[in-house]
Amino acid sequence: MSKKQFLKMVILGDSGVGKTTLLQQYVTQKATGNSKPTIGADFQKKEVMVDNQQVNLQIWDTAGQEKFQSLGYAFYRGADSCALVFDITNHKSFENLAMWKKGFIENASPGDVNTYPFVVIGNKLDKEVNRQVTSQEARQWCKDNGDIPYYETSALENISVDSAFLEMAKTALKRGTQNALFSLPESIGGAGGAIKLNNFEDRGGAGAKGGAGKKKKNGTCC
Amino acid sequence: MRSSQHRLKQKRQALWIKILDIPHEREKLAEEYKIHRKRSEIQEFLPKVISDSIEVDVARSFNHMKDVTSQTLNNILKAYATVNKDNLDYCQGMNFIAGFLYMAMGQSEELAFAVMKEVISRFSMQELFNTSLPMLKLNFYQLDRLIAIILPDLHAHFKDESINSSYFSAPYFITLFTSTLQMQTDMQNSETLLRLWDYFIVHGWKAIFKVSLAILREFEEALLDMPFEVLLTQIVNLPGKFFLKDFVDEASERAQVQRFDQAYAGVRLPNMLLERLKQEFDKNYEVSKRTRSGSSDEGTKEKKPLIQSIFGMGYKQFPNK
């Protein structure tokens, strides 16, 4: 068996387009359609087989309100793949894809943008009758943005959810991972432990707990 | 037998109102609420894009708690969005606070509105909720540093696993732990959450930090054994586990609240420490902003170095003093 691979993925898009439900469906094979607004970000993991290789997906589900994008840096950085999600019954959410993509690129520094493994997902196919964004329109946008693969899904009824995520994993693997875990930001201060207060000794300290067996269990190397 | 806990339950609403200096004439509160409700129906006060974003969240908040209706949540949140609209309209997370306060204040919209308004202004929560969430970044910094100081083993483990508080603590600060109620059908098991709010209303942010640390301490042993992935999937459930206990009777509820009080008191957090960490943050934040903006052009590009400096990159440059 070949060594384990780790991939970091992030899911972006407007509030209420179904990011959390997509992820819930993908990871647990069921979706209630009853998920609460995500505050900050949520983390999910899933093991999948891609081309006979075992891959550990680490997926960040993010908050959809625009102001939360200012936290993006911590979550975007080192991502191997990024899903841009909109709601096919909400044209505004489609128009905002450009904003999400731009925000991701600015924060994640993903190298060559043209080859970066984006996937665009038009969700809520179960509400076809209320559709505001045509497939053609969405495909055109994907084409104009560097031939991004496009999927139409129903997170609620589990239509094409697996294939969308699998596509993300495949293209990310092909491009080579960015060693997600090693490029995570150290911390916003505390865990970095660079600053000490005089009265309160930082007893734990960097690596005090270290020693054998306490090395990272979850990197792509070693 | 009437315990002090029982008496507190009876008087909680009145106490909160008194401590928060909210006018106790109900007519006055009702009148003010009515004004804001009226305003919220006018585009000029409440643009459609804001009311839409409120509705999207309300539709998926408190779906299991039948006493908190969508109508009620919409009313309170839209009214609030007209209070100080240049500074703050709506931020995700306020939906949970509004629903919680509605229940805590005896299912009165005007009281929930009045308490929410006072709490947001008294504890500077505009800074937390407004456009770039500036205070949230400070809070992450403070919590990370407090973990290092108070729970050093956990800090070392977080560091080994490349985890910092921004990965899990946003709901602690943004919803003041009220998002734990999401799956609840009523407030039966929420006495300890109400108890936390007693502390919050009296002591402000210090209470939120203390309970954050109390939660991490309670589950520390389990957390220490968890690698990155497991830790991140489990840690988000801890506040719910901590606050929502099944109480079989009043005595067990009382025991739970006492345990909570002990856990809370067990976290020693001097006032000056939080203030000091704030100064530390402000200083580093300022310095790293200066060093970075010095070389780059101002204005348009200002946003990115700012974000980067907050999320760790900047601190590395500052050795111990």
Side-chain angles (χ1 to χ4, degrees), chain A residues 15 65 67 187-188 191 194 218, chain B residues 90 92 129 140 228 311-312 320:
Chain A
S15 180
Q65 201 176 15
K67 59 181 84 178
S187 92
I188 55 166
N218 37 17
Chain B
Y90 170 71
Q92 292 191 311
F129 292 138
F140 288 157
F228 180 84
F311 282 103
N320 310 342

Side-chain angles (χ1 to χ4, degrees), chain B residues 237-249:
Chain B
N237 303 322
L238 299 185
K241 280 189 187 160
F242 187 81
F243 282 112
L244 307 168
K245 315 261 187 181
D246 285 326
F247 305 124
V248 278
D249 53 29

Side-chain angles (χ1 to χ4, degrees), chain A residues 93-132:
Chain A
S93 72
F94 171 69
E95 291 159 33
N96 281 341
L97 288 187
M99 182 269 292
W100 288 108
K101 184 172 175 234
K102 185 163 168 272
F104 177 79
I105 292 167
E106 275 173 8
N107 283 302
S109 331
D112 182 7
V113 178
N114 295 318
T115 60
Y116 190 81
F118 285 105
V119 165
V120 169
I121 297 176
N123 189 37
K124 303 200 184 174
L125 206 53
D126 45 289
K127 291 188 181 163
E128 180 72 50
V129 283
N130 300 324
R131 188 191 271 273
Q132 285 184 4

Side-chain angles (χ1 to χ4, degrees), chain A residues 180-193:
Chain A
L181 282 152
F182 291 103
S183 50
L184 286 172
E186 267 292 296
S187 92
I188 55 166

Side-chain angles (χ1 to χ4, degrees), chain A residues 46-197:
Chain A
K46 185 173 170 98
E47 278 186 27
V48 288
M49 293 296 286
V50 183
D51 302 332
N52 290 321
Q53 188 178 17
Q54 193 178 354
V55 182
N56 266 31
L57 305 180
Q58 303 176 333
I59 314 174
W60 285 100
D61 177 21
T62 60
Q65 201 176 15
E66 206 179 322
K67 59 181 84 178
F68 284 90
Q69 221 185 18
S70 71
L71 304 180
Y73 184 71
F75 303 112
Y76 301 174
R77 197 153 171 270
D80 298 298
S81 179
C82 170
L84 303 166
V85 186
F86 70 96
D87 169 358
I88 61 162
T89 71
N90 175 350
H91 204 272
K92 187 92 186 85
S93 72
F94 171 69
E95 291 159 33
N96 281 341
L97 288 187
M99 182 269 292
W100 288 108
K101 184 172 175 234
K102 185 163 168 272
F104 177 79
I105 292 167
E106 275 173 8
N107 283 302
S109 331
D112 182 7
V113 178
N114 295 318
T115 60
Y116 190 81
F118 285 105
V119 165
V120 169
I121 297 176
N123 189 37
K124 303 200 184 174
L125 206 53
D126 45 289
K127 291 188 181 163
E128 180 72 50
V129 283
N130 300 324
R131 188 191 271 273
Q132 285 184 4
V133 184
T134 65
S135 300
Q136 199 190 3
E137 188 180 5
R139 276 179 214 291
Q140 188 60 46
W141 189 88
C142 290
K143 194 159 170 256
D144 296 344
N145 278 270
D147 274 322
I148 301 176
Y150 176 59
Y151 285 84
E152 291 198 343
T153 61
S154 164
L156 222 48
E157 294 173 5
N158 199 10
I159 301 171
S160 301
V161 176
D162 275 21
S163 12
F165 280 99
L166 200 62
E167 173 76 29
M168 285 174 79
K170 273 187 177 166
T171 46
L173 281 176
K174 217 178 283 168
R175 189 175 187 259
T177 83
Q178 306 210 338
N179 289 340
L181 282 152
F182 291 103
S183 50
L184 286 172
E186 267 292 296
S187 92
I188 55 166
I195 309 146
K196 281 180 185 170
L197 289 178

Side-chain angles (χ1 to χ4, degrees), chain B residues 12 31 45 78 95 103 154 262 280-281 302-303:
Chain B
R12 179 168 270 132
E31 188 54 37
F45 286 101
K78 287 180 181 178
N95 51 326
M103 292 306 286
L154 190 64
Q262 278 164 10
E280 211 177 85
F281 177 82
E302 202 193 336
K303 211 172 163 189

Side-chain angles (χ1 to χ4, degrees), chain B residues 70-107:
Chain B
S70 299
Q71 188 63 51
T72 293
L73 275 184
N74 269 317
N75 290 349
I76 300 172
L77 290 168
K78 287 180 181 178
Y80 185 80
T82 69
V83 168
N84 192 1
K85 71 182 177 72
D86 295 330
N87 211 340
L88 165 67
D89 35 58
Y90 170 71
C91 178
Q92 292 191 311
M94 286 164 65
N95 51 326
F96 294 115
I97 294 178
F100 165 78
L101 287 176
Y102 175 71
M103 292 306 286
M105 300 316 283
Q107 302 189 27

